[in-house]
Amino acid sequence: MTTAVLVAVGVLGLVVGSFLNVVIARVPAGESVVRPGSHCRSCRVAIPAYHNVPIVSWIVLRGRCHRCRAPISVRYPLVEAATAGLLVAVAARIGATAALPAFLYLGAITVALAVIDAEVRRLPDAIVLPSYLVAATLLVAAGVGQADWWPAVRGFVAMAALLAGYLALAVSYPGGIGFGDVKLAGLLGLYLGWLGWNAVLIGTFAGFLLGAGAGVAMMATGRAGRRTAIAFGPYMLAGALLALFASGPIATWYISMINPTF
């Protein structure tokens, strides 16, 4: 993939990140992401387009509303930068293939869901459930485009397997894994299955490993107790990203550990 295309993806990521800030602020509150337009959440005054340029406007305005001077959270430029960076990385990893739109969509919702779950400990159905249809449509179209149905079929099998597995955990251990995590697991299974069974295993295991590590670290620093609930969604998403970018090398390393002659 050429540098020009990656730059274009980065610009797209900044624009998408700006929209994700609206999603992150409004969806948990049950508000429309369309109306009203962008406005200061303190004085309610509409934000003009020239004050809504990703990252640049926050820097120029020194992190404050142009009208009431209320502080604007640094989360806004960070979300925009993170989205741009992630989409560029995804584009470089997937390449100019038929599956790229599907994985760019995954990158975008990963940022939104991780931030929302970290802030309010919810994975909104308004984002997760429609994403099943979007992901399935884009991945099936990719299968048609490359005349290979197997990755999409594998994705649906992995989706069903992770849904069933996480549902069993949620029912067996109430208060541990939430049903939002169950629904997210199926969606991630659809993507990881497209990548391969190694990605499914590594992405799933990495999510649990990262979540457990974070829980231990929080208890060690006094920020949580044994019964403190933590947002598991960000770790599931991080595990899926790890599988996306490194499932091949990780699988090779693991096989070499158990079979040195491999």
Side-chain angles (χ1 to χ4, degrees):
M1 184 169 287
T2 66
T3 301
V5 173
L6 292 177
V7 169
V9 171
V11 173
L12 172 65
L14 290 174
V15 175
V16 171
S18 181
F19 175 69
L20 291 182
N21 277 318
V22 177
V23 171
I24 291 166
R26 299 188 187 185
V27 168
E31 301 173 358
S32 169
V33 298
V34 179
R35 288 187 171 81
S38 296
H39 58 276
C40 172
R41 297 183 75 82
S42 295
C43 66
R44 315 301 292 181
V45 170
I47 299 174
Y50 56 87
H51 281 164
N52 214 13
V53 180
I55 299 179
V56 174
S57 292
W58 189 89
I59 295 173
V60 170
L61 293 170
R62 298 182 179 180
R64 293 189 175 275
C65 171
H66 72 286
R67 179 66 177 270
C68 70
R69 307 307 296 167
I72 302 171
S73 173
V74 72
R75 186 195 73 197
Y76 286 82
L78 290 180
V79 164
E80 292 160 355
T83 305
L86 181 55
L87 294 197
V88 169
V90 167
R93 164 65 179 85
I94 300 298
T97 66
L100 181 58
F103 281 90
L104 290 177
Y105 179 80
L106 173 63
I109 62 170
T110 290
V111 175
L113 289 173
V115 175
I116 291 173
D117 199 21
E119 289 189 347
V120 301
R121 293 181 182 174
R122 279 179 50 212
L123 293 165
D125 286 348
I127 298 175
V128 176
L129 296 185
S131 293
Y132 273 88
L133 178 60
V134 174
T137 300
L138 293 175
L139 290 175
V140 168
V144 173
Q146 62 189 29
D148 183 3
W149 287 89
W150 175 237
V153 172
R154 189 173 56 214
F156 284 111
V157 173
M159 177 189 75
L162 289 189
L163 273 173
Y166 270 75
L167 180 60
L169 287 174
V171 171
S172 301
Y173 302 99
I177 290 176
F179 285 98
D181 299 324
V182 174
K183 287 173 272 193
L184 177 60
L187 179 63
L188 294 180
L190 187 56
Y191 279 101
L192 294 174
W194 173 276
L195 295 171
W197 292 117
N198 284 339
V200 175
L201 294 174
I202 291 169
T204 303
F205 177 75
F208 284 105
L209 182 63
L210 293 170
V216 170
M218 291 173 67
M219 286 190 290
T221 56
R223 296 168 56 195
R226 292 178 61 87
R227 297 185 178 276
T228 302
I230 66 170
F232 188 45
Y235 304 107
M236 295 173 64
L237 293 161
L241 290 179
L242 180 63
L244 169 62
F245 291 110
S247 61
I250 291 173
T252 300
W253 167 79
Y254 181 72
I255 292 172
S256 69
M257 289 288 290
I258 62 176
N259 183 9
T261 62
F262 176 76

